[in-house]
């Protein structure tokens, strides 16, 4: 039986789920929290590159990358070597109380990737959610204000502060009572469903008018607002890119009123769009940028990167036990080497190739309403009717399941969108397989209408 090292495209050897997978699924149902969401019964055993092998020896092509986490692919040799070497030298000391060389090394490299001439400082966390929590605190600390503005459809995490900013699905909030006060949400510029009929380049002008003419006049005086946080490409909201002008105008408004302009690049960053950060495509310079997911190729790490004049909180104002763990930092340094060396460019090149393959899908498939994104962050919105744009969550879920049974791993995003977020190392053969497989799934799902 081929191992994951010997295949580039799927090889299915059992019905899905296989016998070993079924046994583990039974154990999981018995012992695991029911809060986990699983789209299909994949029980992973090992993985390398863009191939995941399950406990029954079935090999899948991964176009989810652990929710855009495995940026350099699964178990990249340089990342594995860095982890092994570091684990044999030093696993933990806590960067809150002690020093180690890799912390400023990685911080300096991350700071250089963030736009803007001003020097940057970095705080390391364990996750994207923790990075958002820290960004809330930093914005409040830097401005001495307490109000925040976020966007409908956004996902910033599930801990109580980050959850207060999140407005993706009501189930994520239901049952948890009062959240952080002083937070207001406004619409996100969703071009495909723009209420004013704008294009992908012009959608959002009315939202900015609402912010300045209504929110600032009727709810929050801008001098009370600590920060405005936005995903340059909404992740869980459906892989929806914000127009360039919108991000630029939002930055202008923040600068005008001394509000921290916070960019959540947890899912869209680390080379996924062909640049280090998706926000670079719009030419903006955030005050605070949050990163995680792809930063360490699967090791738990997040980062708050901020302008030096912003990150001036005093010792003890914020801390962490495990954030910036030496093993995770080693993985991140190796990850940056690989992304910088070839994978950032490959994300740009293969993203262009895939968009070329997908260009006619709205014409070829009546259930495809929109194809959007940048680089290897691609959203395909599934509808029941292209004219009415009726959302077809059931068809989206069917397509995700059909793809799994054909050996392709994809995930949903938003109510009715399929997300493609493969490892940044995919090649043309793998891109072609994914496209062909999805075409087959669309044809099959289209028969359900």
């Amino acid at each position: 039986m081929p191992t994951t090292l010997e295949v580039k495209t799927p090889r299915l050897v059992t019905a899905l789920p296989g016998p070993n997978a079924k046994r583990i699924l039974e154990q999981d149902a018995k012992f695991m929290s029911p809060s986990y969401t699983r789209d299909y019964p994949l029980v992973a055993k090992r993985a390398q590159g863009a191939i995941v092998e399950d406990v029954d020896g079935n090999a899948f092509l991964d176009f989810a990358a652990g929710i855009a986490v495995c940026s350099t692919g699964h178990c990249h040799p340089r990342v594995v070597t860095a982890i092994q070497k570091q684990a044999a030298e030093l696993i933990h000391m806590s960067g809150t109380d002690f020093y180690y060389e890799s912390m400023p090394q990685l911080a300096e490299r991350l700071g250089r990737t963030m736009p803007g001439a001003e020097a940057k400082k970095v705080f390391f966390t364990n996750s994207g959610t923790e990075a958002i929590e820290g960004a809330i605190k930093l914005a409040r600390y830097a401005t001495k204000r307490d109000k925040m503005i976020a966007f409908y459809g956004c996902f910033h995490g599930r801990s109580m502060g980050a959850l207060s900013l999140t407005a993706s699905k009501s189930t994520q909030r239901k049952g948890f009572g009062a959240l952080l006060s002083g937070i207001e949400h406004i619409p996100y510029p969703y071009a495909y469903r723009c209420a004013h009929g704008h294009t992908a380049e012009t959608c959002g002008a009315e939202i900015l008018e609402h912010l300045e003419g209504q929110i600032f006049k009727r709810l929050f005086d801008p001098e009370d607002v600590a920060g405005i946080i936005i995903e340059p490409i909404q992740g869980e909201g459906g892989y929806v890119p914000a127009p360039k002008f919108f991000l630029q105008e939002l930055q202008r408004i923040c600068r005008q009123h001394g509000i921290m302009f916070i960019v959540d690049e947890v899912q869209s960053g680390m080379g996924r769009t062909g640049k280090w950060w998706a926000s670079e495509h719009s030419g903006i310079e955030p005050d605070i940028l949050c990163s995680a997911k792809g930063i360490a190729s699967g090791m738990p790490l997040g980062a708050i990167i901020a302008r030096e004049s912003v990150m001036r909180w005093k010792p003890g104002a914020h801390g962490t036990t495990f954030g910036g763990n030496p093993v995770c930092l080693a993985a991140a340094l190796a990850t940056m080497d690989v992304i910088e060396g070839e994978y950032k460019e490959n994300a740009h090149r293969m993203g262009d190739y895939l968009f070329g393959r997908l260009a006619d899908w709205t014409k070829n498939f009546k259930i495809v309403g929109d194809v959007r994104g940048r680089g290897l962050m691609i959203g395909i919105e599934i509808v029941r009717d292209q004219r009415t744009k009726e959302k077809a969550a059931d068809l989206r879920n069917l397509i995700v399941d059909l793809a799994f049974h054909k050996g392709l791993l994809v995930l949903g995003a938003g109510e009715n969108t399929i997300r493609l977020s493969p490892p940044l190392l995919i090649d043309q053969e793998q891109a072609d397989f994914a496209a062909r497989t999805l075409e087959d799934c669309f044809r099959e799902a289209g028969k359900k209408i």
Side-chain angles (χ1 to χ4, degrees):
M1 179 185 299
T3 69
T4 55
L5 291 171
E6 297 168 340
V7 295
K8 288 177 61 180
T9 53
R11 183 177 186 272
L12 303 181
V13 296
T14 73
L16 299 176
N20 292 326
K22 287 180 178 178
R23 174 179 55 82
I24 295 168
L25 292 173
E26 291 174 358
Q27 293 176 335
D28 190 278
K30 185 175 181 179
F31 297 112
M32 294 302 300
S33 165
S35 64
Y36 292 106
T37 56
R38 275 71 173 261
D39 286 343
Y40 39 79
L42 171 71
V43 183
K45 174 70 173 180
R46 60 179 64 87
Q48 188 153 5
I51 297 295
V52 176
E53 188 176 292
D54 76 0
V55 290
D56 294 290
N58 298 296
F60 301 84
L61 177 61
D62 186 5
F63 261 55
I67 319 180
V69 167
C70 299
S71 52
T72 60
H74 294 277
C75 302
H76 191 286
R78 291 182 64 176
V79 176
V80 171
T81 297
I83 291 170
Q84 292 173 331
K85 181 175 183 294
Q86 183 59 55
E89 293 179 352
L90 177 68
I91 292 177
H92 175 74
M93 278 296 293
S94 183
T96 291
D97 296 310
F98 304 99
Y99 300 90
Y100 31 91
E101 185 179 16
S102 54
M103 290 191 84
Q105 283 181 340
L106 181 58
E108 190 271 338
R109 289 190 65 178
L110 286 171
R112 280 194 280 112
T113 68
M114 182 170 156
E118 184 178 335
K120 311 299 187 302
K121 287 187 178 293
V122 176
F123 182 95
F124 290 114
T125 69
N126 299 284
S127 67
T129 297
E130 287 188 24
I132 297 298
E133 292 281 352
I136 295 171
K137 291 177 66 177
L138 180 58
R140 285 183 163 196
Y141 193 98
T143 63
K144 306 301 185 250
R145 307 171 182 181
D146 67 343
K147 305 295 191 292
M148 297 283 293
I149 295 171
F151 291 82
Y152 291 123
C154 66
F155 182 88
H156 298 295
R158 299 176 195 265
S159 57
M160 294 301 275
L163 182 60
S164 304
L165 296 174
T166 291
S168 179
K169 299 180 179 70
S170 61
T171 187
Q172 295 160 351
R173 289 170 161 245
K174 184 178 180 180
F176 298 114
L179 301 177
L180 194 66
S181 64
I183 292 177
E184 185 69 22
H185 289 84
I186 59 177
Y188 189 90
Y190 191 167
Y192 177 63
R193 297 184 178 276
C194 183
H196 301 278
H198 288 297
T199 67
E201 290 74 34
T202 61
C203 180
E206 290 79 8
I207 298 170
L208 296 170
E209 292 173 4
H210 175 72
L211 173 63
E212 294 189 286
Q214 299 295 323
I215 302 296
F216 285 170
K217 289 184 178 180
R218 301 182 187 278
L219 293 178
F220 297 157
D221 187 292
E223 293 187 1
D224 289 333
V225 178
I228 298 178
I229 184 167
I230 190 169
E231 297 168 276
I233 302 176
Q234 279 198 340
E236 304 308 304
Y239 276 32
V240 183
K244 178 178 179 179
F245 94 92
F246 186 88
L247 293 172
Q248 292 177 341
E249 279 298 290
L250 197 62
Q251 176 176 275
R252 178 193 63 78
I253 291 169
C254 287
R255 296 283 191 269
Q256 178 183 344
H257 298 291
I259 298 168
M260 292 293 102
F261 184 37
I262 307 169
V263 174
D264 180 343
E265 293 260 20
V266 169
Q267 191 160 172
S268 60
M270 298 308 297
R272 178 147 298 279
T273 65
K275 294 182 180 289
W276 279 115
W277 312 109
S279 51
E280 289 183 74
H281 295 280
S282 299
I284 57 174
E285 299 178 3
D287 298 302
I288 302 170
L289 185 150
C290 295
S291 176
K293 290 194 183 294
I295 194 172
S297 296
M299 295 297 287
L301 184 68
I304 308 165
I305 313 169
R307 294 190 293 113
E308 186 177 38
S309 59
V310 171
M311 193 172 280
R312 288 184 173 176
W313 42 16
K314 301 299 182 184
H318 196 53
T320 174
T321 298
F322 294 106
N325 171 275
V327 181
C328 298
L329 294 178
L333 285 165
T335 296
M336 289 196 74
D337 286 342
V338 175
I339 292 176
E340 190 169 45
E342 56 180 314
Y343 290 167
K344 182 154 58 77
E345 174 56 32
N346 191 62
H348 171 74
R349 183 171 59 252
M350 294 312 303
D352 283 352
Y353 180 77
L354 270 170
F355 274 108
R357 284 292 310 261
L358 279 54
D360 294 329
W361 280 12
T362 56
K363 299 176 183 177
N364 297 341
F365 303 103
K366 60 184 178 180
I367 63 171
V368 175
D370 191 32
V371 178
R372 55 182 177 251
R374 284 187 183 275
L376 291 177
M377 188 173 187
I378 301 170
I380 306 165
E381 184 157 351
I382 306 301
V383 296
R384 199 168 304 279
D385 185 299
Q386 289 182 334
R387 183 183 61 83
T388 64
K389 301 182 181 179
E390 179 186 351
K391 298 176 181 178
D394 57 333
L395 296 180
R396 188 277 307 276
N397 296 341
L398 173 62
I399 291 166
V400 170
D401 187 67
L402 288 170
F404 167 66
H405 283 86
K406 296 177 186 295
L408 178 67
L409 305 180
V410 296
L411 291 172
E415 294 180 58
N416 60 310
T417 297
I418 294 168
R419 79 179 94 183
L420 305 183
S421 58
L424 307 186
L425 51 64
I426 62 162
D427 62 17
Q428 186 170 319
E429 179 184 353
Q430 292 167 325
D432 284 334
F433 177 89
R436 289 195 306 270
T437 300
L438 287 173
E439 287 172 342
D440 290 342
C441 294
F442 292 153
R443 292 189 190 97
E444 192 168 341
K447 297 175 183 177
K448 303 294 183 179
I449 297 178

